[in-house]
Amino acid sequence: MSPKRSGMKKRTFLKTSSMLMAGSLLAPLVSCNSSSQKEKAVRTNWAGNLEYSTENLHLPKSVEELQQMVKDCDKARALGTRHCFNTIADSNDNQISVQHLNQVVSLDEQASTVTIEAGMSYGQLCPYLHERGFALHNLASLPHISVAGACATATHGSGMRNGNLATVVTALEFIDANGALITLSRKTDPEKFRGAVVNLGGLGVLTKLTLAIQPAFQMRQDVYQFLPLSQLEENFEEIMSSGYSVSLFTDWQTDKVNQVWIKRRIEENDTEKAAPTFFGASLATKNIHPIVELSAENCTEQMGVPGPWHERLPHFRMNFTPSSGKELQTEYFVPRQHAVEAIRAVSQLKDQLGPLLMISEIRAIDADDFWMSPCYQQPCIAIHFTCEQNKELLQQVMPMIEQALQPYEARPHWGKMFAMSPTRLQSLYQKLPDFKALLMEYDPQGKFRNDFMQHYIFSSET
Ligand SMILES: Cc1cc2nc3c(=O)[nH]c(=O)nc-3n(C[C@H](O)[C@H](O)[C@H](O)COP(=O)(O)OP(=O)(O)OC[C@H]3O[C@@H](n4cnc5c(N)ncnc54)[C@H](O)[C@@H]3O)c2cc1C
């Protein structure tokens, strides 16, 4: 990365912070009916690349109010914490956020489950669980996203044996298009449940989720720099299995992977020193940011310092609360048996990626049984790209990435940018007909069907 590019990123970072302070994204809320409250509302997504197509944001304070709202609206779409980069959460008519419904409903220690209201974020839930001696199995790179929104798009962390974040959902409650309160659980409705958890926001408005939990655990995080690509290709399984959760960060510009983040589960008071080298990579001697030129102050503690699961699994700290960031993300899932070939194929695009890419991250995700999950019945790796906010350039480069990964049946992340045609996307999901039937059952008139759903799920155009 040239000093010029790194300077540009620092400027972007500073600009983002000042936008936050100025609160320049605030816009007036327009009511759709009498039950809406007049409040100030942010009308863009987190990255600021998308202005939502409606001014109507509804913020119910109770389930009853929400039910009435859904009945009153002809068209509506649930909105979470706005972290998707594409139009999956958008609506031309009404968005409904359950951000005020954000309490823990119950903690069942016997069953090892927690039931939460759907407006809760991981940042709110994790400390609650940890204080009571419990943990979730995995987390995404940052904790500020809502649990409902994350599960809807099959958001994932990393780990060869860790399924995506939705895999710990055991039951959910939502309001369907008639305003009726529906509960589905893995135990009582196994078939529908597999279609309903990764729901792309199409099923209705989620009000509650029950999640499987486990005893709280300690972790340490060690970072290595400059892993030779040849080592990665020869030892992929071993490298990705070297911790509970492993992330590779690279800009593809050399024959080395820039950083390997290894997150290990440990016993209390683990003081073992990390090995100085790892498959030819060297142990970092201080905390570093995935983009090495940026300050690591917002990153979770590294250098092998033991800490609780929720302060090591995400890359970024809970108390760092970015409410917008000038970047664009795209990501593709490839079945794990093609991991090495897929990485090699992307590395061929280094010149095209160079001017656009801030950093790539490669993670492992275990298989699951959710119809619309990119990891449906297949363990995957995900190759992620954090890019400069240059939509035109990204739109030129994404088809190249998709073409390079096409032989491996790559599926895009539902919440990030992609260029794939609906026909191609639909052909990658064998359970799509069942998913459409499930949506039709709870939403026969398409009340919750936005343009994204119409285009990618229901259309038959190319
Ligand atoms: C900085 C950053 C880091 C990220 N890191 C990761 C990562 O590590 N791993 C990863 O896989 N992804 C990652 N993502 C992507 C992100 O996790 C997903 O886009 C996720 O869906 C965001 O959830 P949200 O609530 O913010 O989404 P929103 O954009 O608000 O909504 C997402 C979807 O969920 C639906 N939805 C939200 N709430 C409800 C509800 N109550 N009822 C029904 N449907 C609902 C919406 O309709 C929409 O379809 C990241 C994104 C950003 C911006």
Side-chain angles (χ1 to χ4, degrees):
M1 191 181 305
S2 72
K4 194 171 158 215
R5 282 192 65 215
S6 116
M8 201 164 89
K9 290 187 185 89
K10 278 178 201 142
R11 278 200 304 281
T12 303
F13 185 72
L14 291 174
K15 198 170 154 198
T16 303
S17 317
S18 60
M19 272 168 70
L20 272 178
M21 284 191 279
S24 58
L25 296 176
L26 296 180
L29 176 90
V30 179
S31 298
C32 139
N33 58 40
S34 54
S35 61
S36 300
Q37 310 118 45
K38 283 226 165 208
E39 287 184 28
K40 295 271 182 191
V42 178
R43 294 287 67 218
T44 64
N45 66 345
W46 174 88
N49 65 303
L50 172 70
E51 194 165 330
Y52 294 126
S53 312
T54 177
E55 284 286 299
N56 299 330
L57 175 65
H58 305 276
L59 300 154
K61 293 219 165 83
S62 69
V63 171
E64 296 69 32
E65 192 185 342
L66 171 57
Q67 283 179 285
Q68 192 54 52
M69 224 167 243
V70 169
K71 281 183 194 160
D72 288 348
C73 290
D74 291 335
K75 297 280 279 180
R77 188 82 178 157
L79 182 66
T81 36
R82 305 178 293 107
H83 279 70
C84 287
F85 291 85
N86 59 30
T87 55
I88 192 168
D90 199 12
S91 169
N92 296 322
D93 306 277
N94 298 289
Q95 285 174 316
I96 299 177
S97 163
V98 293
Q99 69 183 60
H100 294 314
L101 307 179
N102 60 7
Q103 301 300 306
V104 171
V105 178
S106 61
L107 178 73
D108 187 337
E109 299 199 9
Q110 240 16 51
S112 288
T113 58
V114 64
T115 298
I116 57 167
E117 292 182 319
M120 234 185 173
S121 69
Y122 288 97
Q124 292 166 322
L125 175 61
C126 294
Y128 170 91
L129 287 177
H130 187 70
E131 280 161 24
R132 286 156 184 81
F134 290 99
L136 294 171
H137 80 302
N138 212 343
L139 291 169
S141 64
L142 87 178
H144 310 92
I145 50 179
S146 74
V147 179
C151 294
T153 64
T155 290
H156 63 94
S158 189
M160 296 289 263
R161 290 194 281 162
N162 292 326
N164 68 46
L165 304 192
T167 55
V168 295
V169 177
T170 62
L172 45 79
E173 181 191 89
F174 63 96
I175 294 181
D176 75 2
N178 292 324
L181 207 51
I182 311 288
T183 303
L184 295 175
S185 82
R186 188 178 273 288
K187 211 169 179 182
T188 55
D189 324 271
E191 188 63 7
K192 282 185 185 177
F193 181 80
R194 286 193 278 273
V197 178
V198 177
N199 56 58
L200 315 182
L203 203 58
V205 183
L206 259 71
T207 46
K208 280 187 203 141
L209 291 136
T210 300
L211 311 175
I213 51 177
Q214 56 180 277
F217 53 93
Q218 292 278 305
M219 298 194 82
R220 60 181 284 168
Q221 180 165 235
D222 295 287
V223 175
Y224 289 85
Q225 290 183 279
F226 315 121
L227 171 76
L229 258 178
S230 55
Q231 288 283 354
L232 180 66
E233 291 186 2
E234 280 163 36
N235 306 287
F236 184 80
E237 291 275 324
E238 210 178 325
I239 288 171
M240 295 307 282
S241 307
S242 61
Y244 180 73
S245 163
V246 175
S247 284
L248 311 175
F249 288 100
T250 187
D251 60 6
W252 308 99
Q253 295 308 303
T254 67
D255 58 1
K256 294 196 168 69
V257 169
N258 303 28
Q259 298 175 17
V260 184
W261 289 36
I262 304 175
K263 298 168 194 262
R264 293 193 179 94
R265 285 177 78 141
I266 52 168
E267 296 306 316
E268 203 84 43
N269 303 324
D270 172 291
T271 50
E272 200 182 309
K273 279 204 165 151
T277 59
F278 176 80
F279 293 96
S282 310
L283 187 65
T285 52
K286 57 177 184 168
N287 283 359
I288 51 176
H289 190 283
I291 300 169
V292 78
E293 292 86 351
L294 296 185
S295 160
E297 68 177 325
N298 297 321
C299 297
T300 46
E301 197 69 56
Q302 303 164 19
M303 305 284 292
V305 178
W309 58 279
H310 63 300
E311 293 179 6
R312 295 295 178 276
L313 280 172
H315 304 325
F316 299 102
R317 292 176 192 269
M318 297 262 191
N319 55 4
F320 161 60
T321 49
S323 93
S324 87
K326 267 210 169 297
E327 62 185 57
L328 291 176
Q329 297 185 6
T330 179
E331 185 171 33
Y332 297 90
F333 297 78
V334 174
R336 196 163 310 149
Q337 73 266 24
H338 301 306
V340 169
E341 296 152 277
I343 290 170
R344 204 176 288 141
V346 172
S347 71
Q348 304 297 312
L349 296 173
K350 74 184 182 84
D351 292 341
Q352 291 87 339
L353 287 166
L356 180 68
L357 188 71
M358 292 161 89
I359 202 72
S360 265
E361 182 177 8
I362 300 168
R363 287 176 279 185
I365 307 106
D366 206 355
D368 60 63
D369 62 355
F370 297 131
W371 298 346
M372 298 310 288
S373 163
C375 300
Y376 178 69
Q377 295 187 341
Q378 56 183 17
C380 287
I381 62 152
I383 309 180
H384 160 94
F385 306 81
T386 298
C387 300
E388 303 282 356
Q389 212 170 76
N390 182 339
K391 200 172 164 194
E392 290 69 35
L393 193 52
L394 181 63
Q395 272 165 347
Q396 288 170 32
V397 175
M398 277 188 306
M400 297 178 198
I401 302 172
E402 291 179 6
Q403 199 181 357
L405 295 178
Q406 185 166 7
Y408 318 114
E409 309 239 295
R411 297 166 169 186
H413 191 302
W414 286 113
K416 302 186 181 180
M417 310 289 280
F418 56 87
M420 200 172 279
S421 72
T423 306
R424 172 71 186 159
L425 187 59
Q426 289 167 13
S427 73
L428 296 168
Y429 284 90
Q430 65 191 83
K431 296 295 277 183
L432 184 74
D434 302 273
F435 181 62
K436 288 203 280 196
L438 185 73
L439 298 189
M440 291 300 288
E441 179 180 340
Y442 292 105
D443 180 19
Q445 309 298 325
K447 182 177 278 192
F448 301 113
R449 197 180 304 171
N450 63 0
D451 291 351
F452 180 98
M453 296 296 280
Q454 186 57 40
H455 190 60
Y456 289 109
I457 302 299
F458 284 94
S459 81
S460 48
E461 62 189 76
T462 51

